[in-house]
């Protein structure tokens, strides 16, 4: 008799399928890494024809697809809450960051993943992007270290080999590389780690940090590389007013229009932020089926603005997700918090036509999966990956508001709600605790590596010393 795993008697199963179906007092059955059935009374119907080798009682809990973090910079977990960057907007903030980036090492990459993606997992996330854009030329294999650490945690991972090809007011020479070296490293990473199969745990991508600041030679090479290896292209787009003004002054158009002229829009592409948009920009993104990753907490922290999520959805953008961005500008990697803030920020800025709580949950699940180019995650239905978040809404923290499960998750939910997280059929968070690593050991490791990084950087940035006393 075949063996399966059962999640039984959930208060609600919120599938986020194309009909946004929900099931009350329902069950979910999966085998290996694949969901085989979702709905009410499944335990009784299946018990005679199979054996359940693991049963999870979900009474008092909500079952949703695992959350998808569509934009991240994991190493920044070691550079957060430092006084020298507080109160700065994006470009001045970046000038400080790049002084620290000169000292990035594989140890920093590894430690950053444990802090950032460990946090993501504990807040219900089962898949995460990571856009690694500063590569000190004298330091190799940063992305190898983060890919290996992500595998150790058990999270589904989409690392992006980003780059800089010329010095600017922000970008320092130490992280500027040649087209040949960038493409050679990206080729090595794809051949070593990229897996295009269904239920893949690692898919490597490529992309510029901010395309209009790079050479046209490397952009063309990026497009050719992405076509050759059939990988996704990701970067930043229209994040700040400075970027909009720079592109207007130099090229006479908006950032989105500049991307269109250079063949950087379409189903192979998805971009973070998309704050500084006009109506034509929104139409270009929609018509080209380009993906968007909104990062509301980071955009607030750096005073960049708010992504017009409702307008993008109304225009037909379906590849739209949420990203926690780098922890140095969001100060955590908390998907539960990102959902709540996204809902509230859109209420504040676009209150005449706000997003619903269900719209926000869509972004955190199916929409984020689409943005990453996935059709096998982000939804709970037969044939999809067993990536599942089990959220406990029976605690006192949520009492008095347990009516609609999606409203409770988005408007009242927080990390305390996350009980169990399943990635690719494996429980990687149980009772709110990571199962694959020792959290105390990793905490000590991350703190030690982070302090070492800032001690090096403080030789160039004396203001950092105040945080190291």
């Amino acid at each position: 008799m075949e063996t399966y795993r059962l999640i039984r008697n959930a208060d609600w199963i919120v599938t986020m399928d194309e009909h946004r179906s929900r099931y009350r007092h329902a069950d979910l059955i999966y085998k290996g890494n694949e969901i085989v059935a979702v709905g009410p009374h499944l335990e009784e119907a299946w018990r005679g024809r199979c054996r359940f080798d693991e049963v999870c009682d979900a009474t008092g809990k909500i079952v949703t697809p695992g959350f998808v973090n569509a934009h991240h910079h994991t190493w920044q977990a070691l550079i957060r809450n430092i006084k020298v960057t507080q109160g700065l907007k994006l470009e001045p903030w970046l000038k400080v960051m790049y002084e620290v980036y000169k000292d990035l090492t594989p140890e920093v990459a590894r430690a950053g993943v444990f802090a950032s993606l460990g946090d993501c997992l504990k807040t219900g996330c089962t898949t995460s992007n990571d856009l690694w854009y500063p590569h000190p030329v004298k330091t190799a294999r940063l992305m190898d270290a983060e890919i290996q650490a992500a595998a150790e945690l058990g999270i589904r991972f989409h690392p992006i080999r980003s780059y800089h090809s010329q010095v600017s007011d922000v970008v320092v020479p130490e992280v500027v590389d040649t087209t040949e070296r960038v493409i050679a490293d990206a080729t090595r990473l794809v051949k070593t780690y990229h897996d295009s199969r269904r239920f893949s745990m690692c898919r490597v991508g490529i992309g510029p940090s901010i395309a209009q600041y790079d050479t046209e030679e490397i952009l063309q090479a990026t497009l050719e590389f992405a076509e050759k290896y059939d990988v996704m292209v990701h970067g930043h787009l229209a994040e700040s007013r400075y970027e909009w003004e720079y592109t207007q002054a130099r090229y006479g158009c908006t950032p989105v229009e500049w991307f269109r002229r250079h063949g950087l829009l379409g189903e192979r592409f998805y971009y973070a932020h998309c704050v500084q948009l006009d109506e034509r920009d929104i139409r270009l993104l929609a018509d080209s089926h380009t993906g968007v990753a909104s990062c509301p907490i980071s955009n607030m922290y750096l005073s960049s603005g708010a992504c017009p999520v409702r307008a993008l959805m109304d225009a037909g953008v379906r590849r739209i997700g949420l990203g926690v961005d780098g922890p140095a500008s969001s100060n955590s990697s908390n998907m539960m918090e990102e959902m709540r803030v996204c809902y509230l920020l859109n209420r504040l800025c676009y209150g005449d036509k706000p997003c619903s709580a269900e719209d926000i949950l869509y972004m955190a699940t199916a929409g984020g999966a689409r943005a990453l180019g996935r059709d096998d995650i982000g939804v709970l239905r037969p044939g999809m990956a067993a990536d599942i978040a089990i959220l406990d809404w029976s605690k006192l923290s949520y009492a008095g508001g347990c009516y609609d499960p999606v409203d409770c998750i988005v408007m009242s939910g927080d990390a305390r709600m996350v009980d169990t997280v399943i990635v690719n059929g494996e429980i990687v968070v149980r009772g709110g605790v990571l199962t694959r690593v020792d959290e105390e050991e990793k905490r000590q490791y991350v703190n030690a590596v982070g302090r070492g990084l800032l001690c090096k950087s403080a030789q160039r940035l004396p203001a950092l010393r105040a945080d190291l006393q």
Side-chain angles (χ1 to χ4, degrees), residues 179-199:
T179 299
E180 293 73 21
R181 281 171 53 96
V182 168
I183 297 301
D185 192 45
T187 301
R188 180 188 64 80
L189 289 165
V190 166
K191 290 184 176 180
T192 305
Y193 300 107
H194 181 69
D195 182 359
S196 61
R197 294 174 297 178
R198 193 166 178 81
F199 303 156

Side-chain angles (χ1 to χ4, degrees), residues 32 88 118 128 137 161 209 274 307 330 346-347 387 417 451:
L88 300 178
S128 183
V137 175
R161 206 309 181 177
S209 177
C274 296
C307 175
S330 67
N346 278 271
R347 285 283 298 147
D387 287 9
M417 187 180 273
R451 186 173 183 84

Side-chain angles (χ1 to χ4, degrees), residues 6-10 13 22-29 37-46:
L6 170 69
I7 299 171
R8 70 178 175 194
N9 197 37
I13 296 180
R22 305 179 185 185
Y23 300 102
R24 183 80 162 127
H25 298 305
D27 309 322
L28 184 150
I29 298 172
V38 183
H41 312 302
L42 293 181
E43 182 177 11
E44 302 166 15
W46 282 66

Side-chain angles (χ1 to χ4, degrees), residues 412-424:
S412 298
D414 55 32
R416 296 170 297 175
M417 187 180 273
V418 178
D419 180 81
T420 302
V421 178
I422 300 167
V423 180
N424 212 38

Side-chain angles (χ1 to χ4, degrees), residues 231-263:
V231 298
M232 300 296 287
V233 178
H234 178 60
H236 303 103
L237 174 58
E239 179 177 2
S240 71
R241 189 66 185 175
Y242 175 90
E243 179 190 343
W244 189 91
E245 291 173 349
Y246 169 90
T247 310
Q248 285 280 6
R250 184 163 183 179
Y251 303 110
C253 64
T254 68
V256 173
E257 169 60 19
W258 192 92
F259 274 48
R260 184 197 68 79
R261 294 176 185 178
H262 289 77

